[in-house]
DNA sequence: CAGAAAATTGTAATCGATTACAAATATGAT
DNA sequence: ATCATATTTGTAATCGATTACAATTTTCTG
């Protein structure tokens, strides 16, 4: 791989001139430009990002932190981020932390080391203290999960309201015994969705029973299956389920299918996220649709503004309740 | 962010000494080491990857090229890659090409520019010519999709055999009219799976009918639904389906569910990949299980060996036919 | 055609690390 | 105490680009 010196030599000019041809084409005569361009072509030269970044302190790379790519929720968000990034001549690097603090550290260092210009964190398990430290001197945006009262700008939806509406939908269908399959309440979205669930129940004078609130460890299908099994073993079984994630809801659906009960006749289910698979299940899943693509676009735009040094404000996007077969009893 | 000069100054030593403390601790007296370590701590110093990489021509970063993260097949493979990489103090960068040549180029340049030490490509749409050029001077490994007779080492499974076994399983169940939902035959795996499909049919003297072979554009669920709709409109309907991807098979399942027919009684289905969804459908999906995690581990090990300059041989891993409800008629 | 102004090109410092080589210091032998 | 040797430390070149400033060439003006 040729370097700028070799190009300069071949073209019979100085490295400065080559650099000028490469960048803001200020004052290079047509003849010289041609000579240089030929030399570049002949040598198959491509400028080194390393040298360039070192000098410019800019990499035009954006880091995207996510706990795991196995949750399809992230897919669409990433699409939005990537398209926006590319439109602004940035590129993205997907970083799976697996909720592992050591990996997280590695990626934080990439930012500190100018290997990337900023981060979008979608990781609810992120170490907020470290992220806040990083955010003092580097552009950081939170996407989906955020910190209440924190100083890092975020883009998210109103989880509490969405949960409230989802549960209200179940109530309007005549359900009085509504269970919640929640994830770990150390996550903000989890607390918010529970809060929306409780608000709806209270508003209609329905009981909030602890045994109808199940907490899962992860968001895998299997956790949903497990949750459903527990709920079906109760003496007083719920007639409807609200799960805080489609993956859990789909697992729950599977759990019910194996039990002889019928969805939606015996049990109605609402999920959350509107992942593409939620339209493939039998029955199809009623769910809260997050504007995932738009969320990604917004997060990327915010980050790019932040990199430019502009002030950015947090944004709450709209959601939708998508009614499908699992609540059409 | 402090640099090595500031640390040197604070510790009252030269930059060389600081560098020595940082790296191979050759000949640094305990006193000096302590001074330097204190300075590092006080300044919160972290060495710049940029400077280091520029000098060392090494980034300890591995690129993983994939067409789209929306296909869950890749998830497990990536896990294997990542764990192996980290065990060897490498990190991975996930790069979604979206089958877009321009994006591909960007990532190829990262390699050329020493921003990454090697690539694992899982992208069947990758520009093989460019990849071959890259492979002449840089470590490259192909994972899953590969080039027959090519010079780039790969890790894969025997797609032809797997398809043959899957279709044979359908035949043994008594099916005589077996359709194939294939993807685009510009992909090697697609041609191989078709070939296995045909071999099985021929072996049992069953007809190979063009109208029973459907080609999809992508591997999204919706493509499977579409394919199934077409197949169900045929005068002579198949009694069994082999789809080259679980996503297609799941879409097909959905297509059948909407038609009043019953799986597996009226129609049996076999998929390919054993993605986690395939166990959540109703009925659950019979499928060919690829050793995804192991494939990732193997690819990463091969790449790391290749980076070290060692010769690596291509590997074909074993697969399994997982029999579930969709063929238990 | 001389001289001023404008356009073009080159020189050299810089970004932050590593490392060969040289210099300084410490240790040991007599 | 002196010299040889071993250990530790420093100096300066290097990786590949960018860019302020200086130097050169071209163009324009009278």
């Amino acid at each position: 791989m040729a370097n700028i010196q070799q190009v300069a030599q071949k073209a019979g000019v100085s490295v400065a001139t080559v650099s000028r041809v490469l960048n803001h084409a200020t004052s290079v005569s047509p003849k010289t430009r041609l000579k240089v361009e030929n030399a570049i072509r002949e040598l198959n030269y491509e400028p080194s990002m390393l040298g360039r970044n070192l000098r410019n302190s800019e990499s035009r790379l954006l880091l995207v932190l996510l706990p795991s790519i196995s949750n399809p929720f992230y897919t669409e968000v990433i699409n939005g981020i990537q398209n926006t990034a590319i439109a602004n001549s940035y590129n993205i690097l997907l970083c799976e932390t697996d909720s592992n603090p050591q990996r997280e550290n590695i990626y934080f260092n990439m930012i500190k080391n100018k290997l990337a210009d900023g981060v979008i964190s979608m990781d609810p398990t992120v170490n907020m203290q470290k992220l806040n430290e990083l955010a003092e001197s580097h552009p950081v945006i939170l996407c989906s999960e955020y910190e209440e009262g924190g100083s890092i700008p975020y883009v998210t939806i109103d989880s509490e309201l969405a949960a409230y509406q989802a549960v209200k939908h179940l109530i309007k269908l005549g359900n009085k015994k509504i269970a919640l399959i929640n994830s770990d309440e150390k996550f903000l979205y989890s607390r918010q969705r529970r809060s929306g669930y409780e608000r709806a129940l209270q508003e209609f004078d329905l009981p909030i029973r602890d045994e109808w609130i199940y907490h899962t460890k992860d968001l895998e299908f299997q956790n949903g299956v497990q949750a459903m099994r527990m709920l079906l073993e109760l003496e007083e079984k719920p007639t409807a389920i609200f799960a805080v994630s489609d993956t859990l809801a789909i697992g729950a659906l599977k759990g019910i299918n194996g039990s002889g009960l019928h969805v939606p006749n015996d049990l109605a289910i609402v999920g959350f996220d509107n992942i593409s698979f939620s339209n493939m299940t039998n029955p199809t899943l009623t769910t809260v649709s997050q504007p995932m693509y738009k969320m990604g676009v917004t997060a990327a735009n915010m980050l790019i503004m932040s990199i430019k040094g502009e002030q950015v404000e947090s944004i709450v996007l709209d959601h939708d309740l998508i009614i499908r077969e699992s609540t059409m009893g």
Side-chain angles (χ1 to χ4, degrees), chain A residues 47-105:
Chain A
S48 154
M49 292 177 162
L50 238 39
R52 183 174 276 178
N53 293 354
L54 178 57
R55 177 62 215 231
N56 287 350
S57 305
E58 180 192 66
S59 63
R60 299 206 78 82
L61 246 35
L62 307 182
L63 238 54
V64 178
L65 243 56
L66 61 175
S68 148
I69 60 166
S70 70
N71 189 333
F73 166 67
Y74 296 112
T75 310
E76 269 295 297
V77 182
I78 290 168
N79 262 326
I81 295 176
Q82 183 152 28
N83 285 339
T84 309
I86 287 181
N88 290 275
S89 30
Y90 279 90
N91 266 286
I92 70 166
L93 297 176
L94 259 33
C95 304
E96 231 188 325
T97 63
D98 261 341
S99 304
N100 175 335
Q102 264 183 300
R103 290 199 193 173
E104 200 176 84
N105 243 322

Side-chain angles (χ1 to χ4, degrees), chain A residues 11 32 46 109 113 121 161 273 275 300 305 325:
Chain A
T32 326
E46 310 241 18
N109 275 343
N113 290 334
S121 171
L161 180 62
D273 286 346
I275 65 178
M305 280 179 64
E325 294 163 3

